[in-house]
Amino acid sequence: TRFNAVYGKHIGNEYDHLIINKPILPRSAIGCSLSHYLVCKQHFDNDLDGKKIGVWGLAFKPKTDDIREAPALVLIDRLLEAGCELCVHDPEAMSNVCEKYGDRLTYCDRQMDALNGVDAVAIMTEWGEFRTPDYAEMKSRMKQAVVFDGRNIFNGEQMQSAGFTYYSIGRPTVRSSME
């Protein structure tokens, strides 16, 4: 099975799409997370060292604490290897992730706390509470208003008008209207 991910990069008035279509990446947590990692790396000009990234959603699906084959874990491993500092939040799976990573991550009891001073946030599980955040609060907590949405939970036009650069799966990248 092939993994297909399309992320758009906005250039002027056009969209130049980064397309990942490799037979070695199955439709799995690994394929999904690797594409998130590559897009994040591309956004930051291939230099993730020292970047602070928030991660919303650690479980493999909402309403569980099960982290087996969770896309977030593959992304976390890659971002740690690249030298990132990570602030994570999940309504149920925090203790399981803490057992795996210990003090290598910053664990946040509230989702907004995982945004304090981050260069970007990656949304890896589509928890209901993630769908309707206070965009103004999100933006005020973040160093850079950049969202990598692996679950397509937000509307691109809303993200643009709220001042975010927004990457989602299968849709063009949206740049902040304030840039």
Side-chain angles (χ1 to χ4, degrees), residues 60-94:
F60 85 96
K61 68 178 186 176
K63 300 182 181 179
T64 184
D65 66 353
D66 192 345
I67 61 170
R68 290 173 297 164
E69 297 188 33
L73 303 186
V74 178
L75 179 66
I76 287 168
D77 289 340
R78 287 298 194 118
L79 292 173
L80 287 173
E81 287 171 13
C84 291
E85 176 185 347
L86 302 176
C87 301
V88 302
H89 172 76
D90 187 283
E92 299 289 334
M94 299 270 280

Side-chain angles (χ1 to χ4, degrees), residues 7-143:
Y7 286 89
K9 181 177 180 184
H10 187 258
I11 299 175
N13 291 325
E14 301 295 323
Y15 291 95
D16 177 29
H17 290 85
L18 166 67
I19 301 173
I20 300 166
N21 185 2
K22 304 255 184 196
I24 58 167
L25 298 177
R27 288 188 185 271
S28 68
I30 294 171
C32 177
S33 297
L34 288 178
S35 64
H36 288 345
Y37 171 74
L38 292 172
V39 171
C40 184
K41 188 174 174 182
Q42 180 185 24
H43 175 83
F44 292 110
D45 298 322
N46 294 318
D47 184 13
L48 292 172
D49 190 37
K51 297 293 183 214
K52 186 175 180 181
I53 309 292
V55 179
W56 280 3
L58 305 170
F60 85 96
K61 68 178 186 176
K63 300 182 181 179
T64 184
D65 66 353
D66 192 345
I67 61 170
R68 290 173 297 164
E69 297 188 33
L73 303 186
V74 178
L75 179 66
I76 287 168
D77 289 340
R78 287 298 194 118
L79 292 173
L80 287 173
E81 287 171 13
C84 291
E85 176 185 347
L86 302 176
C87 301
V88 302
H89 172 76
D90 187 283
E92 299 289 334
M94 299 270 280
S95 61
N96 291 338
V97 171
C98 187
E99 285 179 29
K100 179 174 174 63
Y101 291 98
D103 64 0
R104 295 190 299 156
L105 307 176
T106 299
Y107 303 92
C108 302
D109 291 330
R110 294 178 297 178
Q111 73 187 60
M112 288 296 181
D113 291 344
L115 303 180
N116 292 339
V118 300
D119 295 290
V121 62
I123 301 167
M124 301 302 294
T125 311
E126 65 274 21
W127 285 93
E129 50 265 55
F130 297 166
R131 293 182 181 276
T132 56
D134 179 333
Y135 295 124
E137 182 180 358
M138 279 180 74
K139 191 172 176 192
S140 72
R141 288 177 177 251
M142 299 173 77
K143 187 186 328 181

